[in-house]
C-alpha cells in the first residue's frame, strides 16, 4: 500500500476493460440518465409554475356599463349582415384556480347566439356574452363612452 505505484493505479491501468458476457453494455444515453437530477416530487415543478401564475377576480359590471354593452350588442345584431369587425375585452376564467385574466380578442362577428348567449366569429370561435367587459369597433364611432 505504501508503494507509490499502487496509489496511481499503475499496476492495473493498462489491463483490458472487463466486458460482461451475461449483461449487455448500457447505452451512453442510459448511462447519462443515471446522473440526471432526481425529481423526488412528481409534478412539483408544474405546481410551482401554476402557483406563480397570477389571476384576477371577476369584476361585476354596474348597471350603466351593462346597458351600454347591451346597446352595443343590439347595434352589432342590427348590422350582422356586414360581419362587422369588433374588438371584445373579456374575462377568461382560469381552469385550475379561482379568478382569471382579462384579455382582448377581435374578429368579424358572424352571429349573436341569444339562446346560448355567445358571440360567434367568422372563424368559428366564440365568446360568452357574460364574460364581455367592453366592446370597441368602427361600428360604435358615435357612441359615447
Amino acid at each position: 500500500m505504501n508503494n507509490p505505484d499502487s496509489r496511481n493505479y499503475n499496476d492495473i491501468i493498462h489491463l483490458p476493460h472487463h466486458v460482461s458476457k451475461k449483461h449487455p453494455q448500457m447505452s451512453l444515453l442510459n448511462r447519462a440518465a443515471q446522473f440526471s437530477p432526481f425529481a423526488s416530487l412528481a409534478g412539483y415543478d408544474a405546481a410551482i409554475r401554476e402557483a406563480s401564475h397570477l389571476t384576477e377576480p371577476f369584476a361585476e359590471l354596474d348597471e350603466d356599463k351593462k346597458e351600454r354593452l347591451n346597446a352595443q350588442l343590439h347595434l352589432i345584431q342590427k348590422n350582422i349582415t356586414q360581419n362587422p369587425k369588433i374588438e371584445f375585452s373579456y374575462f377568461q376564467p382560469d381552469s385550475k384556480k379561482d379568478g382569471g385574466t382579462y384579455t382582448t380578442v377581435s374578429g368579424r362577428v358572424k352571429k349573436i347566439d341569444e339562446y346560448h348567449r355567445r358571440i360567434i366569429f367568422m372563424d368559428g370561435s366564440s365568446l360568452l356574452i357574460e364574460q364581455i367587459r367592453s366592446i370597441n369597433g368602427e361600428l360604435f364611432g358615435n357612441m359615447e363612452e
Side-chain angles (χ1 to χ4, degrees):
M1 197 93 181
N2 292 337
N3 183 352
D5 289 342
S6 66
R7 277 183 279 162
N8 295 329
Y9 305 102
N10 286 340
D11 55 336
I12 61 169
I13 198 137
H14 297 293
L15 292 177
H17 177 71
H18 172 73
V19 178
S20 173
K21 293 178 183 173
K22 289 184 179 181
H23 303 288
Q25 192 168 4
M26 188 182 286
S27 72
L28 288 177
L29 181 64
N30 288 342
R31 288 182 71 188
Q34 295 182 89
F35 302 103
S36 65
F38 175 66
S40 60
L41 298 173
Y44 181 73
D45 288 339
I48 293 295
R49 278 193 304 277
E50 181 58 33
S52 67
H53 173 77
L54 299 177
T55 59
E56 298 178 57
F58 179 78
E60 287 292 330
L61 297 176
D62 62 31
E63 287 304 314
D64 289 339
K65 187 71 172 174
K66 286 180 183 177
E67 286 179 25
R68 184 174 196 289
L69 291 176
N70 194 37
Q72 288 176 309
L73 289 171
H74 283 296
L75 189 57
I76 294 170
Q77 184 67 35
K78 186 176 175 182
N79 293 282
I80 203 73
T81 56
Q82 298 173 19
N83 302 112
K85 186 173 183 181
I86 307 293
E87 180 181 274
F88 296 92
S89 293
Y90 67 100
F91 181 78
Q92 178 67 49
D94 192 288
S95 62
K96 296 184 180 177
K97 59 185 177 180
D98 289 339
T101 57
Y102 287 91
T103 188
T104 301
V105 65
S106 65
R108 298 213 172 268
V109 178
K110 178 180 180 180
K111 169 181 168 182
I112 296 179
D113 181 346
E114 292 180 32
Y115 181 75
H116 293 107
R117 308 269 309 139
R118 297 184 88 72
I119 304 292
I120 311 295
F121 294 97
M122 294 295 288
D123 66 2
S125 62
S126 66
L127 175 63
L128 281 172
I129 291 173
E130 287 76 23
Q131 294 174 339
I132 296 172
R133 295 287 150 256
S134 68
I135 305 174
N136 292 302
E138 291 180 14
L139 194 58
F140 313 112
N142 299 354
M143 290 186 85
E144 56 189 56
E145 188 64 41

